[in-house]
């Protein structure tokens, strides 16, 4: 697990170091990455200068295409959050013991509704989206990426929310006054080495009308995921941080902890789409 350092430094030397003088002259604080092919699998936050990780120097956003990304600044006033997830073992999947506290701690940062365990059903999600305008949708559950759309899903209490189901949910809001700001996925189990993984659910969210998505490149530790997402919302909802800066500060918080300092815990988190 420690042999990432050489590769992280080599990639930094190839991709980042040649532009450092330009970044400095323009006082750049946020880098927006448009990855192609295999670069979609690389956690850019873990690139290393030899002294520090890239995320310690710059906030990072990832976009499939700059021209197709809504780059307007986020309006956080009156934002409502729909927070949902599973902490119990369901359908052969292990419990996610930190999810209950994660949702409650996020709820403390703004106006919110929680659907936890038996309340976390596709029917309840749809009912909430029909009756209320939610700007942020947070799903703390297992996500599985299979070889077909039917085998790719988010686990709910009583079933599975497929990509088509998620598309329908998010697009319920598409034609109202405000687009959904963010769809966030935490505690996800994604197919390692499959570049569809982080971009699969995130792509659906953005195609259906959400401005941005928070997703992971690989299966994440439940406790680390909870810490990252809680700090992300605290930074984004209660301070004047952009989404990219909020994620940067959350990742830096984990880097500073002995228990979660290794990139395996914090590097898989990507902010895809609008970074402001």
């Amino acid at each position: 697990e420690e042999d990432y350092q050489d590769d992280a430094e080599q990639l930094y030397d190839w991709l980042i170091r040649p532009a450092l003088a330009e970044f400095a002259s323009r006082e750049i604080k946020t880098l927006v990455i448009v990855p192609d092919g295999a670069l979609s699998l690389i956690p850019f936050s873990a690139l290393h200068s030899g002294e520090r990780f890239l995320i310690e120097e710059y906030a990072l956003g990832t976009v499939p295409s700059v021209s197709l990304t809504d780059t307007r600044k986020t309006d956080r006033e009156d934002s409502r959050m729909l927070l949902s997830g599973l902490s119990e073992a369901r359908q052969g999947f292990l419990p996610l013991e930190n999810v209950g506290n994660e949702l409650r701690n996020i709820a403390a940062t703004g106006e919110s509704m929680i659907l936890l365990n038996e309340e976390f059903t596709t029917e309840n999600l749809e009912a909430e989206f029909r009756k209320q305008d939610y700007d942020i949708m947070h799903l703390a559950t297992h996500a599985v990426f299979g070889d077909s759309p039917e085998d790719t899903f988010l686990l709910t209490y009583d079933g599975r929310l497929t990509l088509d189901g998620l598309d329908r949910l998010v697009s319920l809001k598409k034609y109202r006054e405000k687009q959904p700001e963010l769809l966030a996925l935490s505690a996800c189990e994604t197919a390692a080495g499959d570049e569809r993984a982080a971009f699969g659910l995130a792509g659906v969210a953005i195609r259906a009308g959400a401005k941005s998505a928070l997703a992971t490149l690989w299966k994440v530790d439940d406790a680390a995921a909870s810490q990252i997402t809680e700090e992300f919302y605290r930074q984004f909802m209660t301070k004047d941080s952009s989404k990219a800066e909020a994620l940067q500060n959350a990742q830096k918080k984990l880097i500073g902890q002995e228990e979660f300092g290794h990139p395996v815990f914090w590097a898989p988190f990507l902010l895809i789409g609008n970074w402001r």
Side-chain angles (χ1 to χ4, degrees), residues 93-141:
F93 286 82
L94 293 171
L96 297 167
E97 293 169 356
N98 292 282
V99 163
N101 282 335
E102 173 185 329
L103 298 187
R104 284 185 286 272
N105 289 337
I106 293 170
T109 66
E111 189 176 341
S112 56
M113 172 75 179
I114 294 178
L115 299 176
L116 179 62
N117 294 327
E118 65 273 7
E119 295 177 339
F120 176 40
T121 65
T122 305
E123 187 179 345
N124 284 348
L125 284 171
E126 189 163 320
E128 281 300 322
F129 259 74
R130 286 190 183 283
K131 77 181 185 187
Q132 184 66 270
D133 258 348
Y134 287 102
D135 306 286
I136 292 169
M137 181 181 180
H138 181 86
L139 296 148
T141 183

Side-chain angles (χ1 to χ4, degrees), residues 141-171:
T141 183
H142 291 283
V144 176
F145 285 81
D147 294 327
S148 67
E150 307 83 63
D151 295 327
T152 299
F153 60 88
L154 289 161
L155 192 72
T156 61
Y157 189 79
D158 62 345
R160 297 175 173 187
L161 180 60
T162 62
L163 292 185
D164 284 346
L166 184 63
D167 199 345
R168 274 196 309 277
L169 259 185
V170 179
S171 59

Side-chain angles (χ1 to χ4, degrees), residues 173-194:
K173 202 179 173 250
K174 193 196 284 191
Y175 302 108
R176 299 193 200 168
E177 286 181 19
K178 284 200 302 184
Q179 283 177 281
E181 239 353 291
L182 175 70
L183 183 134
L185 309 155
S186 85
C188 293
E189 182 168 341
T190 52
D194 181 348

